[in-house]
Amino acid sequence: MTAQLIDGNALSKKIRGEVAERVAALKARGVQPGLAVILVGENPASQVYVKHKVADCEGTGMRSVLERYEPTMSEADLLARVRALNDDPAIHGILVQLPLPSHIDANKVIETISPSKDVDGFHVQSAGALMIGQPGFKPCTPYGCMKMLESIGVSPKGRHAVVIGRSNIVGKPMAMLLLQANATVTICHSGTPDLGAMTRQADIVVAAVGKRNVLTADMVKPGAVVIDVGMNRNDEDKLCGDVDFAGVSQVAGWITPVPGGVGPMTRAMLLVNTIEAAERAAAQAV
Ligand code: NAP
């Protein structure tokens, strides 16, 4: 392997430590930062995710409230819970774990979360703020990827970044953040005819697809930074990303592993957004 590893576990630990210091500072002023996590239904992956989010929160000294509901919960009842949390001054961040059962309109739920508590950064107001360069909550996964670049001292300025994937939660906000940081950005998707022709030009590649081996060694410029957002299972049922790690790590300059790369950074950035929300609320209360 020639590429250097970008260690998401180590970086997220550092970030969690910084959040814990900010939590302690707010507590000293009599404010207990609080995150509410809502889980509707029994999706096994979602149950694991919310468990981690709650534990992460408590690890920094923040309060977390986990609300679990039956899969039959009505949309109206869920919207009423979100509105109640919007009005609760002890809650600074609200996260509704996705996916929701099919009878609930996830967009409607997200748009009901107060933008000031939208710590996932999925609200249309947060997306709009990102688009026009106004302050707002950034979606945790692309925010974490930007922190990874910062940690290795690679500025996107003047570089060509290729983002593979255009979802509202990863690909599009990733591209916007890279653009804001003055990269020249190309967004690829399932309709891109020759993905390799694009990625071979890239100084930075972010793969956010959800398919194994979307990026192979022959598609990477020597020395490029490769960030693998994908979460898939290989033939041995082990977690793997979108990138052929064994091959690409022979060509890239930097690479994120899966697991231990973007995943822990996503969790850490949720904490950053939550403490940010609590600090803003505290500043407004003065
Ligand atoms: P998504 O909504 O399914 O979007 C996938 C994107 O990949 C789409 O834009 C799709 O294009 C594009 N795509 C599909 N096949 C392609 C191909 N062969 N070549 C180029 N582009 C292709 O998924 P997502 O929510 O963005 O998540 C992407 C992956 O990241 C998943 O594995 C997910 O589990 C993982 N993820 C990880 C974290 C983390 O913390 N590590 C967080 C979030 C997501 P079209 O738009 O044309 O369909």
Side-chain angles (χ1 to χ4, degrees):
M1 171 163 154
T2 57
Q4 297 188 66
L5 267 191
I6 311 178
D7 184 344
N9 283 328
L11 182 57
S12 64
K13 188 174 172 199
K14 181 169 167 273
I15 291 172
R16 288 198 308 272
E18 290 162 2
V19 171
E21 285 174 19
R22 290 165 70 180
V23 171
L26 263 194
K27 280 183 167 174
R29 292 168 50 200
V31 179
Q32 165 77 69
L35 173 72
V37 179
I38 296 182
L39 175 63
V40 183
E42 278 139 20
N43 180 312
S46 294
Q47 294 191 19
V48 174
Y49 294 150
V50 298
K51 201 174 94 183
H52 285 147
K53 287 169 186 175
V54 167
D56 287 348
C57 226
E58 287 167 0
T60 65
M62 284 195 256
R63 175 172 163 256
S64 66
V65 180
L66 174 57
E67 299 192 3
R68 290 171 175 269
Y69 297 105
E70 295 294 320
T72 51
M73 182 186 210
S74 72
E75 182 181 282
D77 284 349
L78 178 55
L79 294 178
R81 261 323 288 153
V82 171
R83 288 192 192 100
L85 291 166
N86 283 343
D87 293 339
D88 183 345
I91 295 297
H92 302 97
I94 302 170
L95 184 152
V96 179
Q97 184 65 43
L98 302 177
L100 287 166
S102 57
H103 64 278
I104 298 178
D105 180 345
N107 282 331
K108 210 189 255 185
V109 176
I110 291 167
E111 298 320 323
T112 302
I113 296 171
S114 164
S116 65
K117 300 189 179 188
D118 175 37
V119 288
D120 252 342
F122 295 166
H123 193 286
V124 73
Q125 189 167 314
S126 305
L130 181 59
M131 176 72 116
I132 63 170
Q134 293 285 317
F137 293 111
K138 303 175 189 83
C140 302
T141 301
Y143 192 9
C145 294
M146 293 302 285
K147 285 281 169 196
M148 289 178 124
L149 288 175
E150 191 185 304
S151 76
I152 57 169
V154 171
S155 165
K157 186 177 174 183
R159 297 184 200 262
H160 184 189
V162 171
V163 179
I164 318 173
R166 57 172 164 182
S167 71
N168 290 333
I169 62 169
V170 189
K172 281 185 207 155
M174 185 75 242
M176 291 314 304
L177 287 169
L178 287 162
L179 185 64
Q180 256 179 26
N182 293 318
T184 298
V185 183
T186 301
I187 306 175
C188 299
H189 47 79
S190 65
T192 301
D194 186 351
L195 185 61
M198 298 294 130
T199 56
R200 272 189 290 275
Q201 298 173 35
D203 305 304
I204 299 167
V205 183
V206 181
V209 173
K211 289 181 186 162
R212 286 160 57 189
N213 299 331
V214 152
L215 193 76
T216 48
D218 57 308
M219 298 165 75
V220 175
K221 177 160 114 177
V225 180
V226 175
I227 297 185
D228 192 353
V229 177
M231 283 197 305
N232 311 295
R233 294 270 162 195
N234 65 16
D235 293 338
E236 289 85 48
D237 203 35
K238 289 203 173 117
L239 198 61
C240 68
D242 291 344
V243 175
D244 168 24
F245 184 88
V248 171
S249 58
Q250 301 301 321
V251 181
W254 293 89
I255 191 166
T256 64
V258 178
V262 175
M265 289 302 294
T266 297
R267 285 166 53 186
M269 300 325 287
L270 173 67
L271 303 173
V272 171
N273 279 346
T274 306
I275 188 64
E276 185 77 41
E279 286 170 350
R280 286 185 204 169
Q284 276 171 5
V286 175

